[in-house]
PDB file of all heavy atoms in Angstrom:
ATOM      1  N   ARG A 136     -96.101-191.453  -9.878  1.00 94.00           N
ATOM      2  CA  ARG A 136     -97.382-190.804 -10.176  1.00 94.00           C
ATOM      3  C   ARG A 136     -97.289-189.967 -11.447  1.00 94.00           C
ATOM      4  O   ARG A 136     -98.224-189.930 -12.242  1.00 94.00           O
ATOM      5  CB  ARG A 136     -97.820-189.920  -9.002  1.00 94.00           C
ATOM      6  CG  ARG A 136     -98.945-190.495  -8.200  1.00 94.00           C
ATOM      7  CD  ARG A 136     -99.570-189.532  -7.199  1.00 94.00           C
ATOM      8  NE  ARG A 136     -98.686-188.568  -6.581  1.00 94.00           N
ATOM      9  CZ  ARG A 136     -97.922-188.796  -5.510  1.00 94.00           C
ATOM     10  NH1 ARG A 136     -97.944-189.979  -4.945  1.00 94.00           N
ATOM     11  NH2 ARG A 136     -97.168-187.851  -5.011  1.00 94.00           N
ATOM     12  N   HIS A 137     -96.164-189.283 -11.631  1.00 95.00           N
ATOM     13  CA  HIS A 137     -95.972-188.468 -12.842  1.00 95.00           C
ATOM     14  C   HIS A 137     -96.108-189.321 -14.100  1.00 95.00           C
ATOM     15  O   HIS A 137     -96.769-188.930 -15.058  1.00 95.00           O
ATOM     16  CB  HIS A 137     -94.593-187.804 -12.804  1.00 95.00           C
ATOM     17  CG  HIS A 137     -94.212-187.134 -14.081  1.00 95.00           C
ATOM     18  ND1 HIS A 137     -94.653-185.868 -14.413  1.00 95.00           N
ATOM     19  CD2 HIS A 137     -93.448-187.554 -15.124  1.00 95.00           C
ATOM     20  CE1 HIS A 137     -94.173-185.540 -15.603  1.00 95.00           C
ATOM     21  NE2 HIS A 137     -93.439-186.539 -16.052  1.00 95.00           N
ATOM     22  N   TRP A 138     -95.493-190.482 -14.108  1.00 96.00           N
ATOM     23  CA  TRP A 138     -95.485-191.329 -15.308  1.00 96.00           C
ATOM     24  C   TRP A 138     -96.721-192.198 -15.449  1.00 96.00           C
ATOM     25  O   TRP A 138     -97.156-192.474 -16.574  1.00 96.00           O
ATOM     26  CB  TRP A 138     -94.228-192.210 -15.330  1.00 96.00           C
ATOM     27  CG  TRP A 138     -92.984-191.394 -15.427  1.00 96.00           C
ATOM     28  CD1 TRP A 138     -92.031-191.221 -14.456  1.00 96.00           C
ATOM     29  CD2 TRP A 138     -92.556-190.600 -16.531  1.00 96.00           C
ATOM     30  NE1 TRP A 138     -91.060-190.373 -14.902  1.00 96.00           N
ATOM     31  CE2 TRP A 138     -91.354-189.972 -16.173  1.00 96.00           C
ATOM     32  CE3 TRP A 138     -93.086-190.337 -17.800  1.00 96.00           C
ATOM     33  CZ2 TRP A 138     -90.654-189.113 -17.024  1.00 96.00           C
ATOM     34  CZ3 TRP A 138     -92.387-189.490 -18.653  1.00 96.00           C
ATOM     35  CH2 TRP A 138     -91.191-188.889 -18.263  1.00 96.00           C
ATOM     36  N   PHE A 139     -97.289-192.650 -14.344  1.00 95.00           N
ATOM     37  CA  PHE A 139     -98.369-193.639 -14.412  1.00 95.00           C
ATOM     38  C   PHE A 139     -99.719-193.144 -13.890  1.00 95.00           C
ATOM     39  O   PHE A 139    -100.703-193.872 -13.946  1.00 95.00           O
ATOM     40  CB  PHE A 139     -97.962-194.920 -13.677  1.00 95.00           C
ATOM     41  CG  PHE A 139     -96.686-195.522 -14.213  1.00 95.00           C
ATOM     42  CD1 PHE A 139     -95.516-195.463 -13.480  1.00 95.00           C
ATOM     43  CD2 PHE A 139     -96.653-196.108 -15.465  1.00 95.00           C
ATOM     44  CE1 PHE A 139     -94.337-195.996 -13.978  1.00 95.00           C
ATOM     45  CE2 PHE A 139     -95.479-196.643 -15.973  1.00 95.00           C
ATOM     46  CZ  PHE A 139     -94.314-196.580 -15.224  1.00 95.00           C
ATOM     47  N   GLY A 140     -99.758-191.940 -13.346  1.00 94.00           N
ATOM     48  CA  GLY A 140    -101.017-191.357 -12.918  1.00 94.00           C
ATOM     49  C   GLY A 140    -101.586-191.890 -11.616  1.00 94.00           C
ATOM     50  O   GLY A 140    -102.731-191.612 -11.274  1.00 94.00           O
ATOM     51  N   ARG A 141    -100.791-192.653 -10.878  1.00 91.00           N
ATOM     52  CA  ARG A 141    -101.251-193.183  -9.593  1.00 91.00           C
ATOM     53  C   ARG A 141    -100.050-193.524  -8.725  1.00 91.00           C
ATOM     54  O   ARG A 141     -98.950-193.696  -9.220  1.00 91.00           O
ATOM     55  CB  ARG A 141    -102.113-194.425  -9.777  1.00 91.00           C
ATOM     56  CG  ARG A 141    -101.393-195.574 -10.443  1.00 91.00           C
ATOM     57  CD  ARG A 141    -102.319-196.780 -10.662  1.00 91.00           C
ATOM     58  NE  ARG A 141    -101.647-197.817 -11.401  1.00 91.00           N
ATOM     59  CZ  ARG A 141    -100.808-198.707 -10.890  1.00 91.00           C
ATOM     60  NH1 ARG A 141    -100.525-198.682  -9.614  1.00 91.00           N
ATOM     61  NH2 ARG A 141    -100.244-199.620 -11.647  1.00 91.00           N
ATOM     62  N   SER A 142    -100.296-193.651  -7.447  1.00 86.00           N
ATOM     63  CA  SER A 142     -99.263-194.050  -6.495  1.00 86.00           C
ATOM     64  C   SER A 142     -99.112-195.566  -6.544  1.00 86.00           C
ATOM     65  O   SER A 142    -100.085-196.281  -6.748  1.00 86.00           O
ATOM     66  CB  SER A 142     -99.667-193.613  -5.090  1.00 86.00           C
ATOM     67  OG  SER A 142     -98.783-194.130  -4.136  1.00 86.00           O
ATOM     68  N   PHE A 143     -97.915-196.056  -6.375  1.00 75.00           N
ATOM     69  CA  PHE A 143     -97.744-197.506  -6.318  1.00 75.00           C
ATOM     70  C   PHE A 143     -97.852-198.021  -4.895  1.00 75.00           C
ATOM     71  O   PHE A 143     -97.934-199.213  -4.682  1.00 75.00           O
ATOM     72  CB  PHE A 143     -96.417-197.959  -6.945  1.00 75.00           C
ATOM     73  CG  PHE A 143     -95.193-197.553  -6.179  1.00 75.00           C
ATOM     74  CD1 PHE A 143     -94.694-198.329  -5.151  1.00 75.00           C
ATOM     75  CD2 PHE A 143     -94.531-196.398  -6.506  1.00 75.00           C
ATOM     76  CE1 PHE A 143     -93.564-197.964  -4.469  1.00 75.00           C
ATOM     77  CE2 PHE A 143     -93.398-196.007  -5.812  1.00 75.00           C
ATOM     78  CZ  PHE A 143     -92.922-196.792  -4.788  1.00 75.00           C
ATOM     79  N   ALA A 144     -97.867-197.123  -3.923  1.00 70.00           N
ATOM     80  CA  ALA A 144     -97.807-197.573  -2.537  1.00 70.00           C
ATOM     81  C   ALA A 144     -98.920-197.055  -1.651  1.00 70.00           C
ATOM     82  O   ALA A 144     -98.892-197.275  -0.459  1.00 70.00           O
ATOM     83  CB  ALA A 144     -96.467-197.157  -1.953  1.00 70.00           C
ATOM     84  N   GLY A 145     -99.846-196.356  -2.213  1.00 63.00           N
ATOM     85  CA  GLY A 145    -100.898-195.817  -1.358  1.00 63.00           C
ATOM     86  C   GLY A 145    -100.527-194.444  -0.852  1.00 63.00           C
ATOM     87  O   GLY A 145     -99.998-193.626  -1.581  1.00 63.00           O
ATOM     88  N   ASP A 146    -100.739-194.199   0.427  1.00 62.00           N
ATOM     89  CA  ASP A 146    -100.523-192.858   0.964  1.00 62.00           C
ATOM     90  C   ASP A 146     -99.077-192.612   1.395  1.00 62.00           C
ATOM     91  O   ASP A 146     -98.252-193.509   1.410  1.00 62.00           O
ATOM     92  CB  ASP A 146    -101.478-192.593   2.128  1.00 62.00           C
ATOM     93  CG  ASP A 146    -101.300-193.577   3.258  1.00 62.00           C
ATOM     94  OD1 ASP A 146    -100.152-193.931   3.568  1.00 62.00           O
ATOM     95  OD2 ASP A 146    -102.312-193.989   3.845  1.00 62.00           O
ATOM     96  N   ALA A 147     -98.806-191.377   1.742  1.00 53.00           N
ATOM     97  CA  ALA A 147     -97.452-190.971   2.129  1.00 53.00           C
ATOM     98  C   ALA A 147     -96.987-191.662   3.405  1.00 53.00           C
ATOM     99  O   ALA A 147     -95.788-191.736   3.668  1.00 53.00           O
ATOM    100  CB  ALA A 147     -97.397-189.460   2.294  1.00 53.00           C
ATOM    101  N   ASP A 148     -97.905-192.171   4.207  1.00 67.00           N
ATOM    102  CA  ASP A 148     -97.529-192.860   5.438  1.00 67.00           C
ATOM    103  C   ASP A 148     -97.020-194.274   5.180  1.00 67.00           C
ATOM    104  O   ASP A 148     -96.699-194.996   6.115  1.00 67.00           O
ATOM    105  CB  ASP A 148     -98.720-192.917   6.396  1.00 67.00           C
ATOM    106  CG  ASP A 148     -99.107-191.539   6.895  1.00 67.00           C
ATOM    107  OD1 ASP A 148     -98.210-190.672   6.968  1.00 67.00           O
ATOM    108  OD2 ASP A 148    -100.288-191.328   7.186  1.00 67.00           O
ATOM    109  N   ALA A 149     -96.931-194.661   3.929  1.00 80.00           N
ATOM    110  CA  ALA A 149     -96.483-196.004   3.582  1.00 80.00           C
ATOM    111  C   ALA A 149     -94.971-196.145   3.564  1.00 80.00           C
ATOM    112  O   ALA A 149     -94.460-197.231   3.333  1.00 80.00           O
ATOM    113  CB  ALA A 149     -97.047-196.393   2.217  1.00 80.00           C
ATOM    114  N   SER A 150     -94.234-195.091   3.835  1.00 83.00           N
ATOM    115  CA  SER A 150     -92.770-195.130   3.747  1.00 83.00           C
ATOM    116  C   SER A 150     -92.148-196.248   4.566  1.00 83.00           C
ATOM    117  O   SER A 150     -91.283-196.973   4.086  1.00 83.00           O
ATOM    118  CB  SER A 150     -92.167-193.798   4.180  1.00 83.00           C
ATOM    119  OG  SER A 150     -92.545-192.784   3.318  1.00 83.00           O
ATOM    120  N   ASP A 151     -92.561-196.373   5.814  1.00 84.00           N
ATOM    121  CA  ASP A 151     -91.978-197.400   6.677  1.00 84.00           C
ATOM    122  C   ASP A 151     -92.320-198.791   6.154  1.00 84.00           C
ATOM    123  O   ASP A 151     -91.459-199.672   6.107  1.00 84.00           O
ATOM    124  CB  ASP A 151     -92.459-197.222   8.119  1.00 84.00           C
ATOM    125  CG  ASP A 151     -91.685-198.093   9.075  1.00 84.00           C
ATOM    126  OD1 ASP A 151     -90.449-197.938   9.139  1.00 84.00           O
ATOM    127  OD2 ASP A 151     -92.312-198.944   9.748  1.00 84.00           O
ATOM    128  N   TRP A 152     -93.566-199.001   5.731  1.00 87.00           N
ATOM    129  CA  TRP A 152     -93.970-200.298   5.169  1.00 87.00           C
ATOM    130  C   TRP A 152     -93.156-200.614   3.917  1.00 87.00           C
ATOM    131  O   TRP A 152     -92.682-201.730   3.754  1.00 87.00           O
ATOM    132  CB  TRP A 152     -95.459-200.299   4.849  1.00 87.00           C
ATOM    133  CG  TRP A 152     -95.909-201.587   4.225  1.00 87.00           C
ATOM    134  CD1 TRP A 152     -96.270-202.730   4.876  1.00 87.00           C
ATOM    135  CD2 TRP A 152     -96.003-201.877   2.835  1.00 87.00           C
ATOM    136  NE1 TRP A 152     -96.586-203.714   3.966  1.00 87.00           N
ATOM    137  CE2 TRP A 152     -96.426-203.207   2.703  1.00 87.00           C
ATOM    138  CE3 TRP A 152     -95.770-201.137   1.673  1.00 87.00           C
ATOM    139  CZ2 TRP A 152     -96.617-203.823   1.462  1.00 87.00           C
ATOM    140  CZ3 TRP A 152     -95.953-201.744   0.444  1.00 87.00           C
ATOM    141  CH2 TRP A 152     -96.374-203.071   0.345  1.00 87.00           C
ATOM    142  N   LEU A 153     -93.013-199.631   3.029  1.00 91.00           N
ATOM    143  CA  LEU A 153     -92.241-199.831   1.801  1.00 91.00           C
ATOM    144  C   LEU A 153     -90.807-200.232   2.105  1.00 91.00           C
ATOM    145  O   LEU A 153     -90.237-201.090   1.438  1.00 91.00           O
ATOM    146  CB  LEU A 153     -92.212-198.556   0.955  1.00 91.00           C
ATOM    147  CG  LEU A 153     -93.399-198.314   0.079  1.00 91.00           C
ATOM    148  CD1 LEU A 153     -93.336-196.910  -0.517  1.00 91.00           C
ATOM    149  CD2 LEU A 153     -93.454-199.345  -1.025  1.00 91.00           C
ATOM    150  N   TYR A 154     -90.230-199.588   3.082  1.00 93.00           N
ATOM    151  CA  TYR A 154     -88.837-199.885   3.412  1.00 93.00           C
ATOM    152  C   TYR A 154     -88.690-201.246   4.090  1.00 93.00           C
ATOM    153  O   TYR A 154     -87.857-202.044   3.713  1.00 93.00           O
ATOM    154  CB  TYR A 154     -88.230-198.790   4.300  1.00 93.00           C
ATOM    155  CG  TYR A 154     -86.805-199.119   4.655  1.00 93.00           C
ATOM    156  CD1 TYR A 154     -85.789-198.963   3.715  1.00 93.00           C
ATOM    157  CD2 TYR A 154     -86.475-199.639   5.901  1.00 93.00           C
ATOM    158  CE1 TYR A 154     -84.483-199.309   4.020  1.00 93.00           C
ATOM    159  CE2 TYR A 154     -85.173-199.977   6.211  1.00 93.00           C
ATOM    160  CZ  TYR A 154     -84.180-199.815   5.271  1.00 93.00           C
ATOM    161  OH  TYR A 154     -82.885-200.170   5.566  1.00 93.00           O
ATOM    162  N   ARG A 155     -89.516-201.520   5.082  1.00 92.00           N
ATOM    163  CA  ARG A 155     -89.320-202.714   5.908  1.00 92.00           C
ATOM    164  C   ARG A 155     -90.064-203.964   5.445  1.00 92.00           C
ATOM    165  O   ARG A 155     -89.553-205.064   5.573  1.00 92.00           O
ATOM    166  CB  ARG A 155     -89.726-202.418   7.343  1.00 92.00           C
ATOM    167  CG  ARG A 155     -88.907-201.349   8.001  1.00 92.00           C
ATOM    168  CD  ARG A 155     -89.382-201.069   9.431  1.00 92.00           C
ATOM    169  NE  ARG A 155     -88.847-199.826   9.947  1.00 92.00           N
ATOM    170  CZ  ARG A 155     -87.589-199.628  10.296  1.00 92.00           C
ATOM    171  NH1 ARG A 155     -86.726-200.605  10.179  1.00 92.00           N
ATOM    172  NH2 ARG A 155     -87.191-198.462  10.757  1.00 92.00           N
ATOM    173  N   GLU A 156     -91.292-203.815   4.919  1.00 92.00           N
ATOM    174  CA  GLU A 156     -92.157-204.973   4.747  1.00 92.00           C
ATOM    175  C   GLU A 156     -92.618-205.268   3.327  1.00 92.00           C
ATOM    176  O   GLU A 156     -93.205-206.327   3.099  1.00 92.00           O
ATOM    177  CB  GLU A 156     -93.396-204.801   5.632  1.00 92.00           C
ATOM    178  CG  GLU A 156     -93.058-204.692   7.105  1.00 92.00           C
ATOM    179  CD  GLU A 156     -94.282-204.400   7.945  1.00 92.00           C
ATOM    180  OE1 GLU A 156     -95.357-204.950   7.634  1.00 92.00           O
ATOM    181  OE2 GLU A 156     -94.164-203.623   8.907  1.00 92.00           O
ATOM    182  N   ALA A 157     -92.411-204.361   2.406  1.00 93.00           N
ATOM    183  CA  ALA A 157     -92.914-204.575   1.040  1.00 93.00           C
ATOM    184  C   ALA A 157     -92.404-205.908   0.492  1.00 93.00           C
ATOM    185  O   ALA A 157     -91.238-206.251   0.682  1.00 93.00           O
ATOM    186  CB  ALA A 157     -92.477-203.425   0.135  1.00 93.00           C
ATOM    187  N   PRO A 158     -93.265-206.665  -0.200  1.00 94.00           N
ATOM    188  CA  PRO A 158     -92.870-207.961  -0.739  1.00 94.00           C
ATOM    189  C   PRO A 158     -92.100-207.847  -2.055  1.00 94.00           C
ATOM    190  O   PRO A 158     -91.722-208.854  -2.635  1.00 94.00           O
ATOM    191  CB  PRO A 158     -94.202-208.672  -0.949  1.00 94.00           C
ATOM    192  CG  PRO A 158     -95.158-207.557  -1.231  1.00 94.00           C
ATOM    193  CD  PRO A 158     -94.695-206.403  -0.374  1.00 94.00           C
ATOM    194  N   PHE A 159     -91.878-206.639  -2.523  1.00 96.00           N
ATOM    195  CA  PHE A 159     -91.135-206.403  -3.760  1.00 96.00           C
ATOM    196  C   PHE A 159     -89.876-205.605  -3.444  1.00 96.00           C
ATOM    197  O   PHE A 159     -89.796-204.892  -2.443  1.00 96.00           O
ATOM    198  CB  PHE A 159     -92.001-205.640  -4.772  1.00 96.00           C
ATOM    199  CG  PHE A 159     -92.647-204.400  -4.217  1.00 96.00           C
ATOM    200  CD1 PHE A 159     -91.944-203.202  -4.124  1.00 96.00           C
ATOM    201  CD2 PHE A 159     -93.962-204.439  -3.773  1.00 96.00           C
ATOM    202  CE1 PHE A 159     -92.542-202.064  -3.606  1.00 96.00           C
ATOM    203  CE2 PHE A 159     -94.570-203.307  -3.255  1.00 96.00           C
ATOM    204  CZ  PHE A 159     -93.850-202.114  -3.168  1.00 96.00           C
ATOM    205  N   ALA A 160     -88.888-205.754  -4.309  1.00 98.00           N
ATOM    206  CA  ALA A 160     -87.659-204.976  -4.169  1.00 98.00           C
ATOM    207  C   ALA A 160     -87.872-203.620  -4.832  1.00 98.00           C
ATOM    208  O   ALA A 160     -88.454-203.534  -5.913  1.00 98.00           O
ATOM    209  CB  ALA A 160     -86.493-205.711  -4.816  1.00 98.00           C
ATOM    210  N   LEU A 161     -87.411-202.570  -4.176  1.00 97.00           N
ATOM    211  CA  LEU A 161     -87.516-201.210  -4.688  1.00 97.00           C
ATOM    212  C   LEU A 161     -86.157-200.549  -4.538  1.00 97.00           C
ATOM    213  O   LEU A 161     -85.605-200.503  -3.435  1.00 97.00           O
ATOM    214  CB  LEU A 161     -88.583-200.441  -3.904  1.00 97.00           C
ATOM    215  CG  LEU A 161     -88.838-199.005  -4.314  1.00 97.00           C
ATOM    216  CD1 LEU A 161     -89.375-198.928  -5.754  1.00 97.00           C
ATOM    217  CD2 LEU A 161     -89.829-198.347  -3.351  1.00 97.00           C
ATOM    218  N   LEU A 162     -85.610-200.089  -5.663  1.00 97.00           N
ATOM    219  CA  LEU A 162     -84.299-199.451  -5.684  1.00 97.00           C
ATOM    220  C   LEU A 162     -84.370-198.146  -6.445  1.00 97.00           C
ATOM    221  O   LEU A 162     -85.232-197.985  -7.308  1.00 97.00           O
ATOM    222  CB  LEU A 162     -83.278-200.346  -6.426  1.00 97.00           C
ATOM    223  CG  LEU A 162     -83.012-201.709  -5.854  1.00 97.00           C
ATOM    224  CD1 LEU A 162     -83.079-202.748  -6.944  1.00 97.00           C
ATOM    225  CD2 LEU A 162     -81.647-201.718  -5.228  1.00 97.00           C
ATOM    226  N   ALA A 163     -83.441-197.256  -6.158  1.00 98.00           N
ATOM    227  CA  ALA A 163     -83.325-196.025  -6.932  1.00 98.00           C
ATOM    228  C   ALA A 163     -81.866-195.631  -6.987  1.00 98.00           C
ATOM    229  O   ALA A 163     -81.097-195.882  -6.044  1.00 98.00           O
ATOM    230  CB  ALA A 163     -84.142-194.907  -6.300  1.00 98.00           C
ATOM    231  N   HIS A 164     -81.482-195.038  -8.118  1.00 97.00           N
ATOM    232  CA  HIS A 164     -80.136-194.468  -8.206  1.00 97.00           C
ATOM    233  C   HIS A 164     -80.235-193.029  -8.687  1.00 97.00           C
ATOM    234  O   HIS A 164     -81.227-192.621  -9.272  1.00 97.00           O
ATOM    235  CB  HIS A 164     -79.199-195.322  -9.063  1.00 97.00           C
ATOM    236  CG  HIS A 164     -79.443-195.314 -10.530  1.00 97.00           C
ATOM    237  ND1 HIS A 164     -79.347-196.435 -11.303  1.00 97.00           N
ATOM    238  CD2 HIS A 164     -79.742-194.318 -11.409  1.00 97.00           C
ATOM    239  CE1 HIS A 164     -79.573-196.137 -12.567  1.00 97.00           C
ATOM    240  NE2 HIS A 164     -79.828-194.853 -12.655  1.00 97.00           N
ATOM    241  N   GLY A 165     -79.186-192.271  -8.392  1.00 96.00           N
ATOM    242  CA  GLY A 165     -79.134-190.866  -8.772  1.00 96.00           C
ATOM    243  C   GLY A 165     -78.790-190.701 -10.237  1.00 96.00           C
ATOM    244  O   GLY A 165     -78.752-191.664 -11.001  1.00 96.00           O
ATOM    245  N   ASN A 166     -78.504-189.468 -10.621  1.00 93.00           N
ATOM    246  CA  ASN A 166     -78.221-189.205 -12.033  1.00 93.00           C
ATOM    247  C   ASN A 166     -76.769-188.781 -12.267  1.00 93.00           C
ATOM    248  O   ASN A 166     -76.483-188.024 -13.178  1.00 93.00           O
ATOM    249  CB  ASN A 166     -79.208-188.180 -12.604  1.00 93.00           C
ATOM    250  CG  ASN A 166     -79.128-186.833 -11.913  1.00 93.00           C
ATOM    251  OD1 ASN A 166     -78.443-186.686 -10.910  1.00 93.00           O
ATOM    252  ND2 ASN A 166     -79.835-185.854 -12.444  1.00 93.00           N
ATOM    253  N   GLN A 167     -75.864-189.315 -11.458  1.00 94.00           N
ATOM    254  CA  GLN A 167     -74.447-189.073 -11.664  1.00 94.00           C
ATOM    255  C   GLN A 167     -73.995-189.718 -12.986  1.00 94.00           C
ATOM    256  O   GLN A 167     -74.722-190.518 -13.572  1.00 94.00           O
ATOM    257  CB  GLN A 167     -73.611-189.681 -10.525  1.00 94.00           C
ATOM    258  CG  GLN A 167     -74.000-189.240  -9.128  1.00 94.00           C
ATOM    259  CD  GLN A 167     -75.008-190.150  -8.466  1.00 94.00           C
ATOM    260  OE1 GLN A 167     -75.785-190.866  -9.100  1.00 94.00           O
ATOM    261  NE2 GLN A 167     -75.036-190.117  -7.147  1.00 94.00           N
ATOM    262  N   ASP A 168     -72.797-189.383 -13.442  1.00 92.00           N
ATOM    263  CA  ASP A 168     -72.260-190.009 -14.654  1.00 92.00           C
ATOM    264  C   ASP A 168     -72.180-191.530 -14.487  1.00 92.00           C
ATOM    265  O   ASP A 168     -72.432-192.269 -15.426  1.00 92.00           O
ATOM    266  CB  ASP A 168     -70.882-189.442 -14.993  1.00 92.00           C
ATOM    267  CG  ASP A 168     -70.952-188.016 -15.518  1.00 92.00           C
ATOM    268  OD1 ASP A 168     -72.036-187.613 -16.028  1.00 92.00           O
ATOM    269  OD2 ASP A 168     -69.946-187.304 -15.418  1.00 92.00           O
ATOM    270  N   ASP A 169     -71.781-191.982 -13.322  1.00 95.00           N
ATOM    271  CA  ASP A 169     -71.776-193.402 -12.967  1.00 95.00           C
ATOM    272  C   ASP A 169     -72.760-193.518 -11.801  1.00 95.00           C
ATOM    273  O   ASP A 169     -72.366-193.433 -10.638  1.00 95.00           O
ATOM    274  CB  ASP A 169     -70.371-193.844 -12.559  1.00 95.00           C
ATOM    275  CG  ASP A 169     -70.244-195.340 -12.351  1.00 95.00           C
ATOM    276  OD1 ASP A 169     -71.190-196.098 -12.685  1.00 95.00           O
ATOM    277  OD2 ASP A 169     -69.177-195.770 -11.848  1.00 95.00           O
ATOM    278  N   PRO A 170     -74.073-193.676 -12.103  1.00 96.00           N
ATOM    279  CA  PRO A 170     -75.108-193.565 -11.056  1.00 96.00           C
ATOM    280  C   PRO A 170     -74.869-194.488  -9.870  1.00 96.00           C
ATOM    281  O   PRO A 170     -74.475-195.642 -10.025  1.00 96.00           O
ATOM    282  CB  PRO A 170     -76.392-193.951 -11.792  1.00 96.00           C
ATOM    283  CG  PRO A 170     -76.099-193.700 -13.225  1.00 96.00           C
ATOM    284  CD  PRO A 170     -74.637-194.000 -13.400  1.00 96.00           C
TER     285      PRO A 170
END
């Protein structure tokens, strides 16, 4: 939302759907030296 001005997943209750059922892959890494 910060970068694009909108949510990519709808409301906050979408967490379970995003994790289990989303048709796209979603990944994140931290900001360690070797993330």
